Amino acid sequence: MTYLFITTIIIFFICFLLFKAYKNTQDIKINKINVASESGINNDSTLSILHLSDLHLENISLSPMQLERKLENESVDLIALTGDFLDRKRSIPKLLPYLRVLNRLEPTHGTYAVFGNHDYVLKGDDLNELKTLLEDNNVHVLQNESSTISVNGEAINIIGIDDYSTNRSNLSLAYKHIEQGKNIVLTHDPTIVLDMHEYAFDYLMAGHFHGGQICYPKAYHLAKMGKLARKNVIKGLHLHNSTPFYISEGLGQTGLNIRIGSRPEITFHDVTVGVKAS
């Protein structure tokens, strides 16, 4: 009887923890990050960026309708999507309603995306289908390439560096056509910052680590994912050589649809950019 009672208590406790861990995936944080300019120019303007990462549509607890409610009344200049949309062909149609929500925001300077390691589970025609769906819905997919926008006369290079963890990053190619101005980098695995000694950036946004997803109390299981993870640099705002970069905890999950010690996030970045004198 005592053994049965103890076993029942243990099973109940495990079930409670799993339920709580699943509920955590529905507890979406909305983070607002201000990245100050070091230009010293008094008439700096701000570029407002909505940053979403790691949707992992096989395991996401946020519906398109819920996303729309969380974004209502928001106005953004640019949307940045930093990879790991999905890793199964059957999930590709699930992305469309999320893209429609983002399109309704009508970002002034458009939507830009890079792929992550899970996206590259798709091969050949399946990967092309994902890329085509993104492009057909007004998303500029950057695979080691850049696009330049102008903000009040200042050139802003949006640089998409392909996935580092699957050895697809090519910095020289990504920076090949940039103009003189500010460099905003989108990439999936932030570990690339450690290799960017000769490639200047003013701000970098990434994802990949899910904030550990399951932390006990630290994300020791991420140690195999590179030097940043081994330093427990897995979420939030950081500096590398005095330059800021941000790691999103992402919206979806991999493996089990649970989170412990982390939360899904939607991030708004206000990045100040210098305005050229008239």
Side-chain angles (χ1 to χ4, degrees):
M1 180 65 73
T2 302
Y3 175 79
L4 179 62
F5 176 75
I6 293 173
T7 301
T8 302
I9 292 296
I10 291 173
I11 292 173
F12 175 81
F13 182 68
I14 291 172
C15 289
F16 173 77
L17 285 181
L18 288 174
F19 175 75
K20 183 67 169 65
Y22 170 70
K23 294 295 288 183
N24 288 343
T25 68
Q26 301 173 337
D27 183 15
I28 315 294
K29 296 186 301 183
I30 296 181
N31 290 329
K32 299 201 173 184
I33 309 298
N34 289 295
V35 184
S37 171
E38 296 181 356
S39 68
I41 301 174
N42 292 328
N43 61 335
D44 282 351
S45 63
T46 299
L47 187 67
S48 174
I49 304 174
L50 166 62
H51 177 201
L52 302 179
S53 194
D54 297 84
L55 271 69
H56 289 289
L57 292 176
E58 291 80 17
N59 280 314
I60 187 171
S61 297
L62 182 73
S63 71
M65 185 179 296
Q66 290 170 324
L67 176 63
E68 186 164 34
R69 285 201 295 267
K70 289 184 179 296
L71 298 179
E72 64 184 356
N73 302 321
E74 297 286 353
S75 176
V76 297
D77 299 315
L78 187 144
I79 298 174
L81 308 174
T82 53
D84 274 8
F85 298 95
L86 46 88
D87 56 21
R88 297 289 183 272
K89 174 180 171 61
R90 66 175 180 270
S91 301
I92 294 175
K94 295 180 182 179
L95 181 58
L96 180 57
Y98 291 93
L99 296 178
R100 286 173 173 162
V101 168
L102 298 182
N103 270 323
R104 285 194 282 273
L105 287 178
E106 298 182 341
T108 307
H109 297 289
T111 301
Y112 297 82
V114 293
F115 287 139
N117 55 301
H118 278 261
D119 302 311
Y120 282 115
V121 172
L122 300 177
K123 306 296 182 187
D125 290 342
D126 295 341
L127 181 62
N128 288 334
E129 182 180 345
L130 172 59
K131 184 176 181 179
T132 298
L133 177 65
L134 288 163
E135 292 176 338
D136 286 349
N137 286 273
N138 305 311
V139 179
H140 304 277
V141 179
L142 302 175
Q143 294 176 279
N144 292 318
E145 53 195 316
S146 66
S147 181
T148 302
I149 63 175
S150 178
V151 179
N152 295 332
E154 177 82 4
I156 310 294
N157 299 302
I158 311 300
I159 302 168
I161 302 174
D162 215 345
D163 182 52
Y164 182 80
S165 66
T166 55
N167 300 311
R168 289 178 166 85
S169 299
N170 187 325
L171 286 165
S172 62
L173 188 60
Y175 275 73
K176 187 174 182 178
H177 298 294
I178 66 169
E179 299 181 15
Q180 184 67 36
K182 285 189 175 290
N183 296 334
I184 295 179
V185 172
L186 311 184
T187 195
H188 181 64
D189 183 350
T191 312
I192 188 69
V193 300
L194 303 179
D195 293 346
M196 295 180 67
H197 313 292
E198 300 178 8
Y199 297 90
F201 65 92
D202 296 281
Y203 196 47
L204 180 148
M205 287 167 281
H208 190 45
F209 297 132
H210 303 183
Q213 188 170 320
I214 301 174
C215 300
Y216 40 89
K218 293 184 178 181
Y220 298 109
H221 59 293
L222 295 186
K224 62 179 183 279
M225 296 177 72
K227 294 179 181 179
L228 283 183
R230 286 196 289 274
K231 295 177 182 180
N232 202 40
V233 179
I234 58 173
K235 62 181 178 180
L237 186 65
H238 300 272
L239 293 175
H240 180 66
N241 294 334
S242 301
T243 306
F245 67 98
Y246 191 87
I247 308 173
S248 168
E249 295 190 58
L251 272 178
Q253 293 68 235
T254 53
L256 294 175
N257 192 21
I258 60 175
R259 283 183 181 254
I260 299 173
S262 67
R263 294 294 185 276
E265 76 166 288
I266 294 168
T267 320
F268 292 93
H269 306 259
D270 283 339
V271 182
T272 56
V273 292
V275 181
K276 292 182 179 178
S278 57

